[in-house]
Amino acid sequence: MTTLSIFDQNQPQSPRSVTEDPAEIRRLLAEQGIRFEQWQTRDLPADATEAQILEAYAEEVAALKAECGFQTADVVSLNPDNPQKEAFRQKFLDEHTHSEDEVRFFVRGQGLFYLHLGDSVYAVMCQQSDLISVPDGTRHWFDMGPEPEFTCIRLFSNPEGWVASFTGEDIASRLPRYERLAGVA
């Protein structure tokens, strides 16, 4: 279930609030300038290709491109049997920013976005059908868990794709990881 847990950066072990109400999640994130939507999912085969996935969501992707000026869209997918899963997980676990919005639509599976906003950290457990758009310059990180299983559509303004600027802060290491927040620990 999609969940938003809000932490105080100075007391990061326990959230000060948690909600699973999609309307409340949308409202709380919107107050912080974060776009959160839930799209109608499509029935796709488990082995759907990137082309099939992008075709299934062509209308929504085209609307976002037109509205926000995105140039490209692709699909990223990771499964628990991937031998590089730990390296992929580590790549995104440190706080970073981007010079463009980071947009993800979860076609299947789940992942945890942490958004460092002022003195708070908003941990958003995104699930199938969730779209999140993290504005450029927003300090954040992503945890896919030790057994990642997700497929996401990504949209980019920069044709080079995912380019991060790491902050060097250690806050990501002080917050509960995916295992605890997903209840799999």
Side-chain angles (χ1 to χ4, degrees):
M1 175 163 284
T2 304
T3 306
L4 171 61
S5 303
I6 302 175
F7 295 83
D8 182 313
Q9 73 173 6
N10 299 313
Q11 297 176 343
Q13 290 310 308
S14 297
R16 66 175 182 242
S17 68
V18 177
T19 183
E20 296 176 342
D21 176 16
E24 182 71 357
I25 292 170
R26 187 179 311 92
R27 183 187 70 76
L28 290 167
L29 291 175
E31 287 176 356
Q32 300 297 320
I34 309 296
R35 182 180 192 153
F36 177 82
E37 300 173 359
Q38 292 184 311
W39 290 358
Q40 184 68 38
T41 55
R42 311 292 195 271
D43 288 327
L44 294 167
D47 62 348
T49 65
E50 178 174 350
Q52 289 171 316
I53 292 168
L54 290 174
E55 176 61 30
Y57 293 96
E59 187 176 316
E60 292 90 340
V61 168
L64 271 179
K65 282 181 171 182
E67 177 187 345
C68 302
F70 296 116
Q71 300 298 307
T72 63
D74 70 6
V75 175
V76 63
S77 188
L78 203 59
N79 293 307
D81 61 354
N82 186 305
Q84 299 296 315
K85 66 185 177 189
E86 185 58 31
F88 284 123
R89 183 183 190 194
Q90 290 301 316
K91 179 179 178 179
F92 305 109
L93 277 179
D94 289 326
E95 184 182 74
H96 59 274
T97 63
H98 301 284
S99 61
E100 66 175 327
D101 293 357
E102 181 168 348
V103 181
R104 301 292 179 268
F105 169 67
F106 284 79
V107 174
R108 70 172 183 90
Q110 66 181 21
L112 184 57
F113 275 92
Y114 295 83
L115 311 165
H116 189 182
L117 306 166
D119 292 338
S120 299
V121 176
Y122 289 60
V124 187
M125 180 63 76
C126 293
Q127 305 277 330
Q128 179 179 358
S129 83
D130 292 344
L131 175 124
I132 190 166
S133 179
V134 180
D136 67 341
T138 301
R139 296 179 298 163
H140 68 284
W141 61 97
F142 178 71
D143 191 350
M144 62 187 72
E147 298 295 321
E149 189 159 356
F150 66 88
T151 299
C152 288
I153 295 175
R154 308 183 301 175
L155 290 105
F156 298 101
S157 301
N158 180 348
E160 293 178 33
W162 192 87
V163 179
S165 297
F166 291 92
T167 67
E169 298 292 327
D170 72 345
I171 188 157
S173 66
R174 294 185 277 130
L175 271 285
R177 293 267 190 237
Y178 175 97
E179 296 87 334
R180 183 165 146 219
L181 294 181
V184 295

